[in-house]
Amino acid sequence: MSSPWTKPDTSTRPIAVIGGGVMGRRISMMWISSGFTVLLCEKTSVTGNAVGYVQEHEAEQAAKQHTTPAELKATTSLEEAVSNAWMVIEAIPEKLDMKIDLMGEIDKLAPPDCVIASNSSSLRSSQMIVKTEKNYRICNGHYYMPPEQTYYEVMSCGHTDPNIFPFLMEKAAQAGFKPVHAKVESTGLIFNRIWAALKREVLLVMAQGVSDGHTIDDMFKSWFKAEKGPCLMMDTVGLDTVYNIETVYTEQRGLDTTVVDWLKENYVDKGNLGAKGGTGLLG
């Protein structure tokens, strides 16, 4: 089926990143460091930290890319952020109702050739198009933890113009990412399906009192010659995000709720979110 999508001009138009949390600020920094102007849309209370992160890291990343950093602009207006964007990156919390509402708003405000990509790691973009019409330009565009982990996964919403994928992958490679294509719709895309199973078992070991986070991380690092263990990685992302993602998997796959219940009671409800505040899996 033909699509009205045409390649947008990426030289004069910005990228809009919606959400300036742990992931939104890292994504923004990577694109800016490679010379792509970014409009970051977030509440004022979060914007300062996000802008500070970008300013702290952009020169180092640009040196790796042999590029000159572009400009970061911040706004609280979704319309201002997306009205002239060539790509909108949705990077809000992993809550489906919020994403459905936001995608509907972006679809109305963004130009017809603008690619709308969700950074969701567990929700399929096909679940987010309840209130959208121009679904030919909507997809998953999932980042991990740049600049340390730069894989970038793209996946169709079921209606995405197939020409969008080589276009996005080419642009992402220019920005220092390692793009890969999930060729069919999959909850969790590629690596996160594998990573989710590992995280779940780690959390179950802790929930059942078998061992603690430090022991698990030490053994993991020794066995796999890794620099970081799974508990440190979860603490870095934030245990609220881990909880939200695990809740999606639990509901969609009919899994046992022991892990999500334990996370909620012992960490999320108490504000113990790891690097975001309080204590984490490593104390």
Side-chain angles (χ1 to χ4, degrees):
M1 186 170 64
S2 62
S3 160
W5 184 77
T6 56
K7 287 185 182 181
D9 179 4
T10 64
S11 63
T12 60
R13 292 163 58 182
I15 296 169
V17 176
I18 315 303
V22 172
M23 287 304 302
R25 64 190 62 177
R26 287 170 176 264
I27 294 166
S28 298
M29 186 276 294
M30 290 290 290
W31 284 102
I32 285 167
S33 299
S34 299
F36 292 90
T37 301
V38 171
L39 264 168
L40 177 64
C41 183
E42 181 54 280
K43 302 182 187 72
T44 305
S45 58
V46 178
T47 302
N49 289 335
V51 172
Y53 175 87
V54 172
Q55 291 174 339
E56 181 181 350
H57 294 90
E58 62 181 354
E60 180 183 356
Q61 184 61 31
K64 295 178 187 176
Q65 294 290 108
H66 306 291
T67 52
T68 301
E71 184 180 4
L72 172 65
K73 300 176 183 178
T75 179
T76 58
S77 166
L78 181 65
E79 183 173 6
E80 180 184 356
V82 310
S83 61
N84 190 40
W86 69 264
M87 175 169 65
V88 176
I89 300 169
E90 173 275 301
I92 66 171
E94 204 79 346
K95 297 181 179 179
L96 182 56
D97 289 346
M98 290 174 60
K99 291 181 186 287
I100 288 172
D101 289 343
L102 178 60
M103 284 294 199
E105 291 184 63
I106 295 171
D107 189 48
K108 290 183 179 71
L109 296 170
D113 62 350
C114 175
V115 177
I116 303 173
S118 172
N119 180 52
S120 179
S121 61
S122 62
L123 294 164
R124 301 185 305 277
S125 52
S126 60
Q127 298 173 270
M128 306 174 198
I129 57 176
V130 178
K131 300 180 179 180
T132 58
E133 295 178 359
K134 296 182 278 295
N135 296 333
Y136 61 83
R137 41 73 170 274
I138 296 175
C139 63
N140 283 80
H142 172 242
Y143 304 80
Y144 282 84
M145 190 59 69
E148 294 87 4
Q149 182 53 268
T150 56
Y151 277 99
Y152 171 65
E153 298 172 316
V154 293
M155 183 176 76
S156 175
C157 74
H159 306 276
T160 316
D161 186 317
N163 293 312
I164 282 178
F165 299 117
F167 167 75
L168 276 187
M169 293 171 77
E170 177 188 354
K171 295 299 176 184
Q174 290 177 19
F177 295 103
K178 300 174 184 175
V180 291
H181 186 187
K183 297 177 182 179
V184 298
E185 286 190 75
S186 170
T187 299
L189 289 88
I190 304 170
F191 186 76
N192 264 342
R193 286 186 57 169
I194 301 163
W195 174 230
L198 191 152
K199 285 191 299 181
R200 192 173 305 117
E201 199 62 28
V202 165
L203 294 169
L204 191 58
V205 165
M206 296 183 69
Q208 293 176 340
V210 179
S211 190
D212 60 86
H214 289 284
T215 301
I216 292 168
D217 274 18
D218 286 345
M219 294 178 74
F220 184 93
K221 287 187 289 185
S222 175
W223 193 265
F224 294 105
K225 310 302 179 188
E227 293 183 4
K228 298 178 181 179
C231 293
L232 176 58
M233 288 188 269
M234 285 189 272
D235 278 352
T236 300
V237 170
L239 298 183
D240 54 341
T241 299
V242 173
Y243 169 78
N244 289 337
I245 292 171
E246 186 57 29
T247 298
V248 171
Y249 282 115
T250 299
E251 291 174 351
Q252 292 193 14
R253 296 182 174 172
L255 303 174
D256 182 85
T257 64
T258 299
V259 165
V260 292
D261 293 342
W262 178 78
L263 268 178
K264 185 175 189 297
E265 179 181 350
N266 293 280
Y267 293 93
V268 178
D269 285 352
K270 295 179 179 179
N272 293 326
L273 307 179
K276 292 181 178 179
T279 59
L281 300 176
L282 297 179

